[in-house]
Protein backbone atom coordinates (compact mmCIF):
# COMPACT_ATOMS: atom_id res chain seq x y z
CA UNK A 1 0.00 0.00 0.00
CA UNK A 2 2.84 2.41 0.87
CA UNK A 3 4.50 1.77 -2.49
CA UNK A 4 1.27 2.40 -4.36
CA UNK A 5 0.56 5.65 -2.51
CA UNK A 6 4.14 6.88 -2.81
CA UNK A 7 4.03 6.54 -6.60
CA UNK A 8 0.71 8.36 -6.72
CA UNK A 9 1.90 11.23 -4.51
CA UNK A 10 5.15 11.60 -6.45
CA UNK A 11 3.18 12.28 -9.62
CA UNK A 12 0.37 14.42 -8.21
CA UNK A 13 0.27 18.21 -8.32
CA UNK A 14 0.13 20.45 -5.25
CA UNK A 15 -3.61 19.91 -4.94
CA UNK A 16 -3.13 16.13 -5.00
CA UNK A 17 -4.54 15.77 -8.53
CA UNK A 18 -2.88 13.46 -11.07
CA UNK A 19 -2.96 14.91 -14.55
CA UNK A 20 -3.51 12.83 -17.68
CA UNK A 21 0.14 12.79 -18.68
CA UNK A 22 1.22 11.56 -15.23
CA UNK A 23 -1.20 8.66 -14.80
CA UNK A 24 1.12 6.12 -16.42
CA UNK A 25 3.84 6.78 -13.84
CA UNK A 26 1.38 7.20 -10.97
CA UNK A 27 0.14 3.60 -11.33
CA UNK A 28 3.61 2.04 -11.48
CA UNK A 29 3.51 1.20 -7.78
CA UNK A 30 0.18 -0.59 -8.21
CA UNK A 31 1.56 -2.55 -11.16
CA UNK A 32 4.57 -3.58 -9.08
CA UNK A 33 2.34 -4.80 -6.24
CA UNK A 34 0.24 -6.75 -8.73
CA UNK A 35 3.38 -8.39 -10.05
CA UNK A 36 4.35 -9.28 -6.49
CA UNK A 37 0.87 -10.77 -6.02
CA UNK A 38 1.45 -13.02 -9.05
CA UNK A 39 4.70 -14.25 -7.53
CA UNK A 40 2.88 -14.95 -4.28
CA UNK A 41 0.22 -16.94 -6.14
CA UNK A 42 2.91 -19.01 -7.83
CA UNK A 43 3.98 -20.05 -4.33
CA UNK A 44 0.40 -21.29 -3.72
CA UNK A 45 -0.42 -18.53 -1.22
CA UNK A 46 -3.81 -17.75 -2.69
CA UNK A 47 -5.26 -15.79 0.23
CA UNK A 48 -2.25 -13.51 0.48
CA UNK A 49 -2.36 -13.00 -3.30
CA UNK A 50 -6.06 -12.12 -3.06
CA UNK A 51 -5.37 -9.53 -0.35
CA UNK A 52 -2.73 -7.89 -2.55
CA UNK A 53 -4.98 -7.92 -5.60
CA UNK A 54 -7.80 -6.25 -3.68
CA UNK A 55 -5.39 -3.73 -2.19
CA UNK A 56 -4.45 -2.66 -5.72
CA UNK A 57 -8.12 -2.31 -6.66
CA UNK A 58 -8.87 -0.24 -3.55
CA UNK A 59 -6.00 2.19 -4.08
CA UNK A 60 -6.71 2.65 -7.78
CA UNK A 61 -10.40 3.29 -7.09
CA UNK A 62 -9.37 5.98 -4.61
CA UNK A 63 -7.12 7.47 -7.29
CA UNK A 64 -9.97 7.65 -9.81
CA UNK A 65 -11.59 10.45 -7.79
CA UNK A 66 -8.52 12.67 -8.16
CA UNK A 67 -7.05 11.85 -11.54
CA UNK A 68 -7.68 12.59 -15.19
CA UNK A 69 -8.21 9.01 -16.33
CA UNK A 70 -9.49 9.82 -19.81
CA UNK A 71 -6.94 7.30 -21.10
CA UNK A 72 -8.40 4.58 -18.83
CA UNK A 73 -4.99 3.94 -17.31
CA UNK A 74 -6.16 3.83 -13.68
CA UNK A 75 -9.38 2.01 -14.50
CA UNK A 76 -7.32 -0.42 -16.56
CA UNK A 77 -5.29 -1.37 -13.49
CA UNK A 78 -8.52 -2.00 -11.54
CA UNK A 79 -9.65 -4.31 -14.37
CA UNK A 80 -6.26 -6.00 -14.31
CA UNK A 81 -6.59 -6.64 -10.58
CA UNK A 82 -10.01 -8.24 -11.15
CA UNK A 83 -8.56 -10.41 -13.93
CA UNK A 84 -5.93 -11.49 -11.45
CA UNK A 85 -8.64 -12.45 -8.95
CA UNK A 86 -10.17 -14.64 -11.66
CA UNK A 87 -6.75 -16.32 -11.96
CA UNK A 88 -6.73 -16.96 -8.22
CA UNK A 89 -10.19 -18.53 -8.30
CA UNK A 90 -9.15 -20.73 -11.22
CA UNK A 91 -5.98 -21.95 -9.54
CA UNK A 92 -5.77 -25.73 -9.35
CA UNK A 93 -5.42 -27.23 -5.92
CA UNK A 94 -7.39 -24.68 -3.91
CA UNK A 95 -8.56 -26.44 -0.77
CA UNK A 96 -12.24 -26.31 0.29
CA UNK A 97 -11.20 -24.03 3.16
CA UNK A 98 -9.40 -21.69 0.76
CA UNK A 99 -12.39 -21.64 -1.61
CA UNK A 100 -14.69 -20.75 1.26
CA UNK A 101 -12.38 -18.00 2.44
CA UNK A 102 -12.07 -16.51 -1.06
CA UNK A 103 -15.86 -16.74 -1.54
CA UNK A 104 -16.61 -14.99 1.76
CA UNK A 105 -13.96 -12.34 1.09
CA UNK A 106 -15.32 -11.52 -2.38
CA UNK A 107 -18.91 -11.38 -1.17
CA UNK A 108 -17.92 -9.02 1.65
CA UNK A 109 -15.89 -6.95 -0.81
CA UNK A 110 -18.84 -6.61 -3.20
CA UNK A 111 -20.99 -5.32 -0.35
CA UNK A 112 -18.56 -2.49 0.41
CA UNK A 113 -19.88 1.01 -0.22
CA UNK A 114 -16.87 1.83 -2.39
CA UNK A 115 -18.70 0.06 -5.21
CA UNK A 116 -21.87 2.15 -4.89
CA UNK A 117 -20.88 4.20 -7.93
CA UNK A 118 -19.16 1.32 -9.71
CA UNK A 119 -21.93 -1.23 -10.25
CA UNK A 120 -20.15 -3.08 -13.05
CA UNK A 121 -17.20 -3.84 -10.80
CA UNK A 122 -19.52 -4.95 -8.01
CA UNK A 123 -21.26 -7.29 -10.44
CA UNK A 124 -17.90 -8.58 -11.66
CA UNK A 125 -16.95 -9.54 -8.11
CA UNK A 126 -20.28 -11.31 -7.63
CA UNK A 127 -19.83 -13.18 -10.91
CA UNK A 128 -16.44 -14.39 -9.73
CA UNK A 129 -17.97 -15.38 -6.39
CA UNK A 130 -20.61 -17.43 -8.18
CA UNK A 131 -17.96 -19.72 -9.65
CA UNK A 132 -17.08 -20.72 -6.07
CA UNK A 133 -20.65 -21.25 -4.87
CA UNK A 134 -20.27 -25.02 -4.98
CA UNK A 135 -22.49 -25.80 -1.99
CA UNK A 136 -26.20 -25.06 -1.51
CA UNK A 137 -25.30 -22.95 1.53
CA UNK A 138 -22.97 -20.75 -0.53
CA UNK A 139 -25.53 -20.37 -3.31
CA UNK A 140 -28.24 -19.47 -0.81
CA UNK A 141 -26.02 -16.79 0.68
CA UNK A 142 -25.20 -15.36 -2.73
CA UNK A 143 -28.86 -15.48 -3.80
CA UNK A 144 -29.86 -13.57 -0.69
CA UNK A 145 -27.30 -10.88 -1.42
CA UNK A 146 -28.38 -10.63 -5.06
CA UNK A 147 -32.00 -10.12 -3.94
CA UNK A 148 -30.96 -7.38 -1.53
CA UNK A 149 -28.75 -5.73 -4.11
CA UNK A 150 -31.47 -5.62 -6.77
CA UNK A 151 -33.85 -3.89 -4.35
CA UNK A 152 -31.25 -1.32 -3.33
CA UNK A 153 -30.04 -0.36 -6.80
CA UNK A 154 -31.67 2.95 -7.70
CA UNK A 155 -31.02 4.13 -11.27
CA UNK A 156 -33.03 5.21 -14.31
CA UNK A 157 -35.33 2.67 -15.97
CA UNK A 158 -32.84 1.49 -18.61
CA UNK A 159 -30.03 1.38 -16.04
CA UNK A 160 -32.23 -0.56 -13.65
CA UNK A 161 -33.13 -3.07 -16.37
CA UNK A 162 -29.47 -3.41 -17.36
CA UNK A 163 -28.47 -4.02 -13.74
CA UNK A 164 -31.27 -6.55 -13.18
CA UNK A 165 -30.27 -8.35 -16.38
CA UNK A 166 -26.67 -8.65 -15.18
CA UNK A 167 -27.86 -10.06 -11.84
CA UNK A 168 -30.03 -12.60 -13.64
CA UNK A 169 -27.08 -13.59 -15.82
CA UNK A 170 -25.11 -14.39 -12.67
CA UNK A 171 -27.99 -16.59 -11.54
CA UNK A 172 -28.17 -18.22 -14.96
CA UNK A 173 -24.48 -19.15 -14.93
CA UNK A 174 -24.86 -20.61 -11.44
CA UNK A 175 -27.82 -22.71 -12.55
CA UNK A 176 -25.97 -23.86 -15.67
CA UNK A 177 -22.85 -24.74 -13.66
CA UNK A 178 -24.53 -26.49 -10.75
CA UNK A 179 -27.98 -27.63 -11.95
CA UNK A 180 -27.48 -28.42 -15.62
CA UNK A 181 -28.71 -27.35 -19.06
CA UNK A 182 -32.38 -28.26 -18.63
CA UNK A 183 -32.81 -26.00 -15.59
CA UNK A 184 -30.78 -23.32 -17.34
CA UNK A 185 -33.09 -23.42 -20.39
CA UNK A 186 -36.11 -23.05 -18.10
CA UNK A 187 -34.46 -20.02 -16.51
CA UNK A 188 -33.87 -18.48 -19.95
CA UNK A 189 -37.58 -18.86 -20.78
CA UNK A 190 -38.49 -17.17 -17.49
CA UNK A 191 -36.37 -14.10 -18.27
CA UNK A 192 -37.17 -13.21 -21.86
CA UNK A 193 -37.85 -9.59 -20.88
CA UNK A 194 -34.07 -9.17 -20.79
CA UNK A 195 -32.35 -8.90 -24.21
CA UNK A 196 -29.45 -11.19 -23.27
CA UNK A 197 -31.86 -14.01 -22.41
CA UNK A 198 -34.04 -13.46 -25.46
CA UNK A 199 -30.91 -13.61 -27.61
CA UNK A 200 -29.92 -16.94 -26.01
CA UNK A 201 -33.42 -18.30 -26.65
CA UNK A 202 -33.38 -17.10 -30.28
CA UNK A 203 -29.96 -18.56 -30.96
CA UNK A 204 -30.97 -21.83 -29.32
CA UNK A 205 -34.06 -22.06 -31.53
CA UNK A 206 -31.98 -21.15 -34.58
CA UNK A 207 -29.46 -23.88 -33.78
CA UNK A 208 -32.34 -26.35 -33.43
CA UNK A 209 -33.79 -25.20 -36.77
CA UNK A 210 -37.01 -24.16 -35.05
CA UNK A 211 -37.52 -21.19 -37.35
CA UNK A 212 -41.11 -20.51 -36.29
CA UNK A 213 -39.90 -20.08 -32.71
CA UNK A 214 -37.12 -17.75 -33.88
CA UNK A 215 -39.71 -15.64 -35.72
CA UNK A 216 -42.05 -15.59 -32.70
CA UNK A 217 -39.32 -14.63 -30.26
CA UNK A 218 -37.95 -11.98 -32.62
CA UNK A 219 -41.34 -10.37 -33.16
CA UNK A 220 -41.88 -10.24 -29.41
CA UNK A 221 -38.44 -8.66 -29.01
CA UNK A 222 -39.20 -5.98 -31.59
CA UNK A 223 -42.32 -5.05 -29.64
CA UNK A 224 -40.70 -5.35 -26.19
CA UNK A 225 -37.70 -3.19 -27.12
CA UNK A 226 -39.37 -0.79 -29.57
CA UNK A 227 -37.77 2.21 -27.83
CA UNK A 228 -34.26 0.92 -28.57
CA UNK A 229 -33.36 1.02 -32.26
CA UNK A 230 -30.29 -1.15 -31.91
CA UNK A 231 -32.23 -3.98 -30.28
CA UNK A 232 -35.10 -3.71 -32.77
CA UNK A 233 -32.55 -4.00 -35.57
CA UNK A 234 -31.05 -7.08 -33.91
CA UNK A 235 -34.42 -8.86 -33.61
CA UNK A 236 -35.34 -7.97 -37.19
CA UNK A 237 -32.08 -9.46 -38.42
CA UNK A 238 -32.85 -12.72 -36.63
CA UNK A 239 -36.41 -12.72 -38.04
CA UNK A 240 -35.11 -12.02 -41.54
CA UNK A 241 -32.66 -14.93 -41.33
CA UNK A 242 -35.33 -17.31 -39.97
CA UNK A 243 -37.83 -16.28 -42.66
CA UNK A 244 -35.32 -17.00 -45.40
CA UNK A 245 -34.43 -20.39 -43.92
CA UNK A 246 -38.12 -21.25 -43.40
CA UNK A 247 -39.00 -20.31 -46.98
CA UNK A 248 -41.13 -17.33 -45.91
CA UNK A 249 -39.77 -15.23 -48.72
CA UNK A 250 -42.50 -12.59 -48.78
CA UNK A 251 -41.93 -11.72 -45.11
CA UNK A 252 -38.18 -11.78 -45.71
CA UNK A 253 -38.58 -9.33 -48.61
CA UNK A 254 -40.71 -7.05 -46.44
CA UNK A 255 -38.02 -6.97 -43.74
CA UNK A 256 -35.36 -6.33 -46.40
CA UNK A 257 -37.42 -3.40 -47.70
CA UNK A 258 -37.63 -1.98 -44.16
CA UNK A 259 -33.85 -2.20 -43.89
CA UNK A 260 -33.45 -0.37 -47.21
CA UNK A 261 -35.86 2.38 -46.16
CA UNK A 262 -33.91 2.74 -42.89
CA UNK A 263 -30.68 2.96 -44.91
CA UNK A 264 -29.20 -0.02 -43.12
CA UNK A 265 -29.44 -2.94 -45.58
Amino acid sequence: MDLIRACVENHADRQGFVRYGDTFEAVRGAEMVLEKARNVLERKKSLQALALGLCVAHEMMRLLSRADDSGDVVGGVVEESFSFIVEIVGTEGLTPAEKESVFQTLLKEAANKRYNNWSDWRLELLEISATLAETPAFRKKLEKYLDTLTKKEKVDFWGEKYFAEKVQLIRYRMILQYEGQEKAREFIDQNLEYPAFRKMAVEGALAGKDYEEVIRLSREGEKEDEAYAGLVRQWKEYRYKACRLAGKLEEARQIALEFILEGSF
Side-chain angles (χ1 to χ4, degrees), residues 12-167:
D13 61 21
R14 290 181 180 179
Q15 287 71 44
F17 188 81
V18 177
R19 299 181 186 279
Y20 171 77
D22 295 317
T23 54
F24 294 94
E25 292 300 322
V27 302
R28 285 293 173 84
E31 292 173 337
M32 291 169 67
V33 172
L34 209 48
E35 187 58 36
K36 178 182 178 181
R38 289 193 174 92
N39 293 332
V40 169
L41 184 60
E42 286 178 3
R43 298 199 300 272
K44 306 297 183 183
K45 296 182 178 180
S46 57
L47 300 183
Q48 185 180 345
L50 176 62
L52 289 170
L54 288 174
C55 175
V56 170
H58 298 167
E59 293 301 312
M60 292 298 96
M61 289 176 76
R62 288 179 70 249
L63 177 56
L64 281 169
S65 65
R66 58 188 186 100
D68 177 353
D69 194 39
S70 51
D72 199 30
V73 175
V74 182
V77 177
V78 178
E79 289 289 351
E80 191 178 349
S81 70
F82 283 2
S83 295
F84 175 63
I85 293 169
V86 173
E87 289 179 38
I88 294 172
V89 170
T91 301
E92 291 185 10
L94 282 181
T95 66
E98 286 174 325
K99 287 182 179 180
E100 179 175 4
S101 183
V102 172
F103 174 80
Q104 301 287 7
T105 298
L106 293 180
L107 209 55
K108 182 179 180 181
E109 176 69 16
N112 193 287
K113 64 182 181 180
R114 71 170 59 89
Y115 295 96
N116 286 355
N117 295 318
W118 304 99
S119 294
D120 280 341
W121 284 336
R122 170 173 277 148
L123 289 166
E124 194 170 343
L125 286 168
L126 292 170
E127 189 170 344
I128 298 169
S129 301
T131 64
L132 291 169
E134 296 176 349
T135 69
F138 284 5
R139 291 196 288 278
K140 184 177 180 180
K141 186 169 186 177
L142 181 53
E143 279 283 358
K144 184 178 180 181
Y145 181 70
L146 290 174
D147 283 339
T148 303
L149 188 61
T150 305
K151 291 173 184 175
K152 283 184 177 179
E153 192 71 13
K154 300 296 182 184
V155 289
D156 59 82
F157 172 75
W158 178 244
E160 183 179 350
K161 187 171 182 178
Y162 168 83
F163 188 85
E165 178 183 74
K166 292 295 184 182
V167 169

